[in-house]
């Protein structure tokens, strides 16, 4: 028995869009006004969505429940699996005492909270987004800032807002690659236009973060650091995306921003050290502990190992090799080919992929286990920390599973497409509204990749119908989507869990929501200008009629990559341990 999607159940697209928006409006109300706990708000939103699709869209209850099950499974794996690996790695560094060394090292660079926020939330977070994505940057950078002594709400909120700049090029360029495949446009052209749009946002994000923390006047005290960090990141984001492609902008720009800021701080310091009100007013009274380079390298080694492994896990040949060794695929019984699009063709429902070896979360767990000798932890202690981490994340995992269940119900029932069609009916104003589709997609799914998969074909068709270059609106889907990440219930749950704010998701949502709309409006205006007035920003390209698979299936190359990574990790571990041992007789252990 098949069921066909109904995009306009009331034969009035505006009225149908209002009905489709009921669960979304509820989430906003529950978190921003009612201040409901995240898992409760997500459960009620899912139940409301099921009622809407069965009563108004006439979707069979069985299909809506199966869609919710599929979404919940996707939320657990790979998303929760990634978060578990990221938070577990951080918790191990805390348990081993190595994080105290990292904290003292960062304090020796700068004890100023404003500069620490730029370094960790913006630059380091962007680097992690480029390497892994899918929530890991928010989890790790939030946990690090809380470990430094940041106010937990500010730590999570700053990391969510800072994560805006790099999202479109996250996870080795996966969102751009997905947009290109869905819209049948050149990958490089989308990369170039997104890379000419987002730097306008990237250059101001560090300033934005500091103003949020300390106010406008206090932000001027660290203006040199703000400019160096923002301009460096924006330049390399533009240059890499326009000349190398979508895979490395975040990695290169993040590293460049970190290095340039550290170099600046060697020769320049702010006149006044700023801290939160609840902290000591005399931060300089305690002596800064300085460690030898070997100890600092050892403390940072888990993150060095994580970077190498996560980047390797993102390379196509490595993925192919790992998938060849272990991967399970299966369709949800009763869902495959059961839903028809309005055109009558079956809705593409991908099989659930349990790629337990090639998943980024597995890479993070491998990094944690490889780092155990470097941190001086026994395996028994690591097992204890693992179960403690699971207990820490139980409610955020429930929230994420429920949110993804809601997202899949909205997609399979056609609710998302109803709202999209309403925005697409705005005619020549559509370029202004096209980033809102990306924003909506990321709000629902927590992923710019998923948003691009959901809406980029509609963006392409709507642009052609209104006489706008499709490249503008397809790219706007990716650019606008980044502004929705900070308020996605999935991202809110990750940030709250990492900051120890489980159950206080509503406070975090209220902290970020207005900033999401401000940044969305900036992208909307830029897109409108690109469509009609500053067309010179749009790169020239040739339409692609047949998209070839870009990922190579050369397993031998993948195994060679894995061997090289293993050797590199072995050399790194040996060097750090030898350096630390040689210094041991000269320096006392902390």
């Amino acid at each position: 028995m098949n069921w066909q999607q109904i995009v306009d159940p009331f034969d009035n697209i505006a009225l149908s869009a209002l009905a489709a928006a009921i669960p979304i409006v509820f989430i906003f109300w529950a978190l921003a006004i009612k201040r409901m706990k995240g898992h409760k708000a997500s459960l009620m939103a899912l139940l409301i969505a099921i009622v809407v699709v069965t009563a108004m869209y006439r979707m069979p209850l069985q299909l809506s429940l199966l869609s919710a099950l599929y979404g919940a499974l996707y939320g657990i794996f790979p998303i929760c699996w990634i978060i578990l690996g990221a938070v577990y790695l951080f918790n191990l560094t805390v348990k081993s005492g190595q994080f105290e060394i990292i904290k003292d090292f960062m304090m020796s660079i700068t004890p100023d909270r404003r500069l620490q926020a730029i370094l960790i939330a913006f630059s380091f977070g962007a680097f992690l987004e480029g390497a892994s994505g899918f929530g890991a940057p928010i989890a790790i950078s939030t946990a690090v800032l809380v470990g430094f002594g940041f106010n937990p709400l500010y730590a999570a909120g700053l990391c969510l807002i800072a994560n805006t700049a790099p999202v479109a090029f996250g996870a080795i360029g996966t969102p751009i690659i997905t947009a290109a495949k869905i819209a049948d446009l050149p990958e490089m052209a989308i990369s170039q236009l997104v890379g000419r749009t987002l730097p306008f946002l990237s250059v101001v994000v560090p300033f934005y973060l500091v103003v949020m923390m300390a106010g406008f006047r206090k932000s001027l005290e660290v203006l040199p650091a703000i400019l160096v960090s923002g301009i460096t990141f924006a330049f390399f984001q533009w240059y890499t995306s326009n000349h190398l492609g979508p895979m490395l902008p975040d990695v290169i720009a993040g590293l460049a921003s970190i290095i340039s800021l550290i170099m600046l701080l060697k020769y320049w310091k702010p006149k006044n050290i700023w801290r939160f009100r609840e902290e000591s007013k005399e931060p300089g009274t305690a002596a800064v502990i300085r460690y030898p380079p070997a100890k600092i390298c050892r403390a940072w080694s888990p993150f060095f190992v994580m970077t190498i492994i996560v980047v390797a896990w993102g390379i196509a040949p490595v993925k192919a090799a790992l998938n060849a060794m272990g991967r399970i695929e299966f369709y949800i019984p009763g869902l495959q080919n059961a839903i028809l699009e309005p055109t009558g063709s079956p809705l593409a429902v991908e099989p659930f992929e349990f790629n337990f070896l090639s998943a980024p979360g597995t890479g993070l767990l491998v990094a944690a286990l490889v780092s155990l000798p470097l941190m001086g932890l026994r395996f028994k202690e690591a097992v204890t920390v693992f179960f403690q981490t699971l207990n820490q994340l139980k409610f955020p995992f429930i929230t994420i599973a429920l949110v993804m269940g809601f997202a899949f119900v909205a997609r399979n029932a056609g609710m998302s497409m109803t709202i999209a069609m309403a925005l697409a009916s705005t005619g020549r104003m559509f370029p202004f509204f096209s980033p809102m589709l990306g924003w909506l997609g990321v709000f629902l799914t927590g992923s710019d990749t998923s948003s691009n998969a959901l809406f980029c074909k509609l963006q392409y068709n709507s642009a052609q119908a209104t006489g706008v270059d499709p490249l503008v609106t397809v790219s706007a889907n990716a650019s606008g989507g980044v502004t929705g990440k900070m308020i996605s219930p999935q991202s809110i749950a990750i940030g709250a869990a990492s900051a120890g704010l489980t159950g206080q998701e509503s406070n975090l949502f209220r902290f970020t929501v207005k900033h999401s709309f401000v940044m969305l409006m900036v992208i909307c205006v830029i897109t409108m200008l690109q469509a009609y007035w500053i067309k010179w920003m749009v790169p020239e390209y040739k339409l692609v009629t047949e998209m070839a698979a870009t990922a190579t299936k050369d397993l031998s190359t993948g195994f060679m990559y894995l061997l090289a990574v293993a050797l590199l990790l072995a050399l790194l571990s040996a060097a750090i341990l030898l350096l630390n041992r040689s210094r041991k007789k000269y320096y006392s252990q902390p």
Side-chain angles (χ1 to χ4, degrees), residues 43-64:
L43 175 60
M44 293 187 69
L46 173 59
L47 294 176
I48 291 171
I50 291 174
V51 170
V52 169
V53 300
T54 53
M56 301 180 187
Y57 285 78
R58 297 188 286 280
M59 184 183 198
L61 179 62
Q62 179 184 355
L63 289 181
S64 65

Side-chain angles (χ1 to χ4, degrees), residues 382-431:
V383 171
T384 302
V385 173
F386 181 80
F387 284 105
Q388 290 172 345
T389 305
L390 274 177
N391 185 61
Q392 173 189 350
L393 296 173
K394 58 185 178 183
F395 285 115
F397 283 178
I398 293 171
T399 301
I400 291 168
L402 292 170
V403 166
M404 293 309 300
F406 162 58
F408 275 58
V409 169
R411 184 195 69 174
N412 289 353
M415 290 172 61
S416 304
M417 197 56 64
T418 300
I419 299 172
M421 292 296 292
L423 292 176
S425 65
T426 53
R428 284 183 59 82
M429 286 296 294
F430 177 64

Side-chain angles (χ1 to χ4, degrees), residues 115-436:
L115 302 180
Q116 290 174 352
I118 295 173
L119 266 174
I120 301 300
F122 179 70
S123 302
F124 185 54
F127 170 76
L128 292 175
E129 181 67 41
S132 59
F134 297 101
I138 296 171
I140 293 175
S141 54
T142 298
V144 170
L145 286 184
V146 172
F148 284 172
F150 270 61
N151 177 298
L153 180 63
Y154 267 89
L158 292 171
C159 290
L160 284 166
I161 294 169
N163 194 237
T164 299
V167 164
F169 296 106
I172 318 295
T174 302
I176 302 298
I177 295 169
T178 301
K181 289 181 179 180
I182 297 297
D184 203 27
L185 286 170
E187 183 181 295
M188 189 65 184
I190 299 175
S191 175
Q192 288 174 331
L193 187 51
V194 173
R196 298 175 188 183
T197 302
L198 287 182
F200 289 102
L201 205 59
S202 301
V203 78
V204 300
V205 165
F207 182 73
Y208 199 94
L209 295 176
V210 176
V211 170
M212 285 175 55
M213 291 176 62
F216 180 78
R217 182 175 296 180
K218 293 291 184 182
S219 66
L220 297 180
E221 295 178 356
V222 290
L223 190 59
I226 290 172
L227 292 175
V228 166
S229 178
I231 292 174
T232 301
F233 184 90
F235 171 78
F236 280 98
Q237 186 182 49
W238 163 78
Y239 184 85
T240 310
S241 62
N242 275 259
H243 297 280
L244 299 180
M247 296 184 70
L248 293 175
D250 287 346
V251 174
I252 293 176
L255 279 176
S257 182
I258 292 170
I259 293 169
S260 63
L261 186 52
I262 290 177
M263 289 177 63
L264 172 70
L265 292 175
K266 280 186 172 292
Y267 303 100
W268 171 88
K269 304 285 184 183
K271 291 182 179 179
N272 301 309
I273 302 301
W274 186 89
R275 291 189 168 223
F276 291 102
R277 288 181 180 177
E278 59 268 27
E279 294 186 275
S280 170
K281 298 297 182 181
E282 298 179 359
T285 56
V288 176
I289 302 175
R290 297 187 181 275
Y291 296 92
K295 277 195 170 296
I296 295 172
C297 287
R298 182 184 180 185
W300 280 102
S301 61
F303 296 102
F304 296 155
V305 171
M306 178 202 72
T307 300
I308 294 170
I309 290 180
V310 167
V311 171
W313 248 245
I315 299 173
V318 173
K319 283 185 177 180
L322 291 170
N323 284 333
M325 290 188 286
R327 180 178 63 171
I328 300 172
E329 282 189 354
F330 61 89
Y331 288 98
I332 303 298
L335 195 58
Q336 177 66 11
N337 295 325
I339 301 175
L340 303 178
E341 294 180 343
T343 58
S345 58
L347 178 70
V349 178
E350 299 293 330
F352 179 77
E353 184 182 19
F354 185 55
N355 53 335
F356 53 90
L357 289 180
S358 66
T362 303
L364 288 166
L365 286 174
V366 170
L369 294 176
V370 169
S371 300
L372 288 179
L374 301 174
M375 291 185 283
L377 285 177
R378 293 174 296 175
F379 184 74
K380 183 179 179 180
E381 293 175 304
V383 171
T384 302
V385 173
F386 181 80
F387 284 105
Q388 290 172 345
T389 305
L390 274 177
N391 185 61
Q392 173 189 350
L393 296 173
K394 58 185 178 183
F395 285 115
F397 283 178
I398 293 171
T399 301
I400 291 168
L402 292 170
V403 166
M404 293 309 300
F406 162 58
F408 275 58
V409 169
R411 184 195 69 174
N412 289 353
M415 290 172 61
S416 304
M417 197 56 64
T418 300
I419 299 172
M421 292 296 292
L423 292 176
S425 65
T426 53
R428 284 183 59 82
M429 286 296 294
F430 177 64
F432 180 84
F433 291 104
S434 61
M436 295 184 186

Side-chain angles (χ1 to χ4, degrees), residues 466-489:
T466 54
V468 175
D469 188 339
L471 180 61
V472 173
T473 56
V474 170
S475 300
N477 199 86
S479 301
V482 306
T483 63
K485 189 73 177 280
M486 70 181 78
I487 60 169
S488 166

Side-chain angles (χ1 to χ4, degrees), residues 516-572:
S516 175
F517 285 115
V518 169
M519 294 185 182
L520 175 62
M521 288 300 104
V522 172
I523 299 297
C524 289
V525 170
I526 292 175
T527 303
M528 192 71 172
L529 293 173
Q530 289 172 339
Y532 298 117
W533 291 287
I534 52 175
K535 295 183 178 181
W536 51 265
M537 284 186 66
V538 182
E540 295 182 1
Y541 64 97
K542 295 181 180 179
L543 287 175
V544 178
T545 55
E546 295 183 1
M547 299 297 292
T550 56
T552 175
K553 298 299 182 182
D554 187 353
L555 297 184
S556 62
T557 305
F559 285 117
M560 290 300 294
Y561 270 115
L562 284 174
L563 179 60
V565 169
L567 289 173
L568 183 58
L569 288 172
L571 289 172
L572 176 66

Side-chain angles (χ1 to χ4, degrees), residues 292 295 579-589:
K295 277 195 170 296
L579 278 170
N580 189 69
R581 188 171 298 173
S582 66
R583 297 268 184 169
K584 195 171 184 179
K585 60 182 179 181
Y586 298 108
Y587 298 95
S588 60
Q589 297 294 323

